[in-house]
Amino acid sequence: MRADVTLWRLLVATALLLAGCGDAGGGRGTATTVPPPGTPSAALLDGTAWAVTGGTVDGARFAPVAGHTPTFAVTAGLASGSTGCNTYEASLTVTAGGGLSLGGLTVTEIGCEPPVMEVEAGLLAVLTRADRFSWEGDRLTLAGDNGTATVDLVAAPTEPGVALDAGAWHLTGIERGDAASSVLTGTAPSLVVDTAAGAIRGNGGCNDFGAAANFAGDAIAVSDFASTTMACAEGIMRQEAEYFAVLAAAHTWRVDGDTLTAAADGGSLTFVAAAGVSPVEAATAWVAAVAAGDLDAAAALLAPGSLAYVDERGGLAVFATELAEGWGAWDGADGRRVWPVSGRFPHGTEATAVVFAGTVSQEGMTEHRAVALVVERDGDAYRVHPFAALERIGFLVPRADFLDRVAPGVPFELATPAGFDVLVFLDESGALPVDVEVRANRLTLTALADPPPPPGEHVLTVVYRTAAGEIGAHAVAFATYP
């Protein structure tokens, strides 16, 4: 569904931004904006792209949700971008002395999770009320109503795009006629491009497909499209039919950063590269792929070590059921929270894991728990390493077999084989200090949070390095009492 705008134009404009704003200000890519000399003008803002870092509306502060960074760009008198969920467009007028006005604001109407929608509401409120801007270095501020509505932005870095055939792409949106929609939760339609063979393949959310594809510049010609004939839920089949119809008729494509857009007469598709541009994006995309049984997309997200592991044992299909019922269950976990933890071991090696916490149903049991997934950096992207260091450390306090209750001042204890290095994290904090004691060729480690965790539910995560240099991770949910 959309409101008086051509979503195709918005998607292309937003794709230009999303390539660089996943880690805005974090040092990746190059920010191209410079301080404007003299009086601000529309010409100086033209061609700039920005990522939102936060804002305030009538004293209430809002900040981007991880993986949903809002954006703002100016092109030929038009402001456009993403709210973190929807895309928007408005006419832009800049006057002498830093005056600014946005008119005819239009927004698509896709629904997202409540925290993302709250940020969207804040940003749109500022855009509606904005009447001034200030620009200093790589920072831009829009403000209105005497400063009671403000949004802070940083110059969006530009990065090279992902190669069309670098790996799997996940479908994120479909436009057909006057209707635009995001992908149904719990489905993971995908696309894999093989330019050398002149072919495409993937999954529609239910059925696998394949076709011949001829690429010439930014043109594509798809022929001999065929798919399997499995039946799934009505909504999934309807989405799959729309996906297949637009893809089979696609005649142009464009890659901007990690976003692929394919256009056909009367429709368009948007995809994001399966190898996430952040650890959380990579981990959640992999979990969604294994939940949907999309082995092509899941394999494209695996780190080389895990790929080698599964190949030695007959390929990813051997693990498909186990993965779908295990890791895949986290795709639909109730109250799911996801966050990254990272640190550096004493000898210098850096390690990152993504933590999932929530209520999950696995093997006929429903329980509140936490797990951690190792993620490796691969160039400008991240890949998951679920088969890394399969040895498990042992939690002594809290216990790992159920949701334990721990007094706030009790040190956390764990046991590991000799030769292991560990990093211990409480919730989303940095690594805790650890004391080590050797007992019968095993290490007993204690970590005490300062200050102690407040009463309530928490997650303790341990990222460890084995004597052989492999990185593993393990997490446990527990509760502290007053």
Side-chain angles (χ1 to χ4, degrees):
M1 189 172 186
R2 63 179 183 175
D4 301 332
V5 293
T6 303
L7 185 59
W8 163 252
R9 179 170 58 182
L10 290 181
L11 289 171
V12 172
T14 305
L16 292 170
L17 295 173
L18 292 179
C21 64
D23 189 23
R28 299 189 300 110
T30 303
T32 57
T33 52
V34 295
T39 302
S41 69
L44 288 170
L45 276 176
D46 190 52
T48 61
W50 309 84
V52 172
T53 59
T56 303
V57 178
D58 297 329
R61 182 72 180 170
F62 63 88
V65 176
H68 297 271
T69 301
T71 59
F72 179 82
V74 180
T75 305
L78 287 177
S80 63
S82 166
T83 66
C85 175
N86 284 283
T87 53
Y88 66 86
E89 185 178 66
S91 61
L92 174 67
T93 302
V94 175
T95 58
L100 171 146
S101 65
L102 292 160
L105 179 66
T106 54
V107 189
T108 57
E109 299 176 2
I110 296 172
C112 292
E113 296 178 356
V116 179
M117 299 306 290
E118 290 175 7
V119 175
E120 176 180 278
L123 174 61
L124 294 178
V126 176
L127 295 180
T128 301
R129 295 159 60 175
D131 55 20
R132 300 192 64 78
F133 79 96
S134 60
W135 182 3
E136 185 173 346
D138 63 349
R139 303 285 171 172
L140 178 69
T141 299
L142 309 182
D145 292 348
N146 296 319
T148 59
T150 64
V151 63
D152 301 315
L153 308 100
V154 65
T158 56
E159 298 182 7
V162 176
L164 180 64
D165 56 2
W169 297 89
H170 285 305
L171 182 70
T172 57
I174 303 173
E175 181 193 13
R176 197 174 184 202
D178 291 329
S181 60
S182 56
V183 172
L184 294 173
T185 301
T187 65
S190 62
L191 172 69
V192 177
V193 177
D194 188 338
T195 54
I200 57 175
R201 68 179 190 280
N203 182 272
C206 180
N207 287 282
D208 293 330
F209 70 87
N214 181 47
F215 298 90
D218 61 357
I220 178 176
V222 178
S223 59
D224 301 326
F225 192 97
S227 69
T228 56
T229 56
M230 293 176 56
C232 294
E234 182 180 354
I236 296 175
M237 299 305 293
R238 184 165 52 249
Q239 172 182 271
E240 181 174 88
E242 293 177 349
Y243 174 32
F244 286 173
V246 178
L247 183 61
H251 51 67
T252 60
W253 63 273
R254 178 173 179 169
V255 174
D256 293 294
D258 69 336
T259 301
L260 167 66
T261 305
D265 292 337
S268 65
L269 306 169
T270 54
F271 304 83
V272 65
V277 296
S278 74
V280 168
E281 289 173 348
T284 54
W286 185 76
V287 165
V290 297
D294 189 347
L295 300 186
D296 284 334
L301 280 163
L302 287 178
S306 280
L307 275 175
Y309 180 91
V310 298
D311 286 346
E312 290 173 1
R313 290 158 179 79
L316 198 59
V318 174
F319 301 89
T321 300
E322 179 182 351
L323 289 173
E325 295 176 351
W327 279 107
W330 285 97
D331 188 52
D334 290 336
R336 189 182 79 172
R337 295 187 297 127
V338 186
W339 67 89
V341 294
S342 61
R344 187 185 298 272
F345 292 111
H347 62 279
T349 299
E350 293 186 357
T352 299
V354 173
V355 182
F356 292 78
T359 301
V360 64
S361 297
Q362 296 172 316
E363 299 180 352
M365 297 179 60
T366 299
E367 56 184 343
H368 186 87
R369 57 187 300 248
V371 294
L373 177 62
V374 175
V375 180
E376 291 185 352
R377 186 88 184 233
D378 182 13
D380 290 330
Y382 290 87
R383 299 185 187 278
V384 300
H385 201 359
F387 302 107
L390 294 177
E391 302 94 343
R392 289 294 183 91
I393 63 170
F395 284 100
L396 304 179
V397 179
R399 295 185 295 274
D401 53 347
F402 59 90
L403 185 66
D404 204 357
R405 294 180 63 80
V406 179
V410 174
F412 306 115
E413 292 188 340
L414 55 146
T416 75
F420 275 38
D421 293 321
V422 301
L423 299 168
V424 182
F425 303 88
L426 177 63
D427 298 324
E428 301 179 40
S429 72
L432 302 178
V434 175
D435 291 328
V436 181
E437 180 183 352
V438 179
R439 297 179 186 174
N441 201 37
R442 290 183 66 83
L443 305 180
T444 298
L445 304 105
T446 61
L448 182 63
D450 185 16
E457 292 185 359
H458 300 281
V459 174
L460 190 69
T461 305
V462 178
V463 180
Y464 53 92
R465 183 180 184 272
T466 70
E470 293 183 297
I471 308 297
H474 195 25
V476 59
F478 68 99
T480 55
Y481 56 84

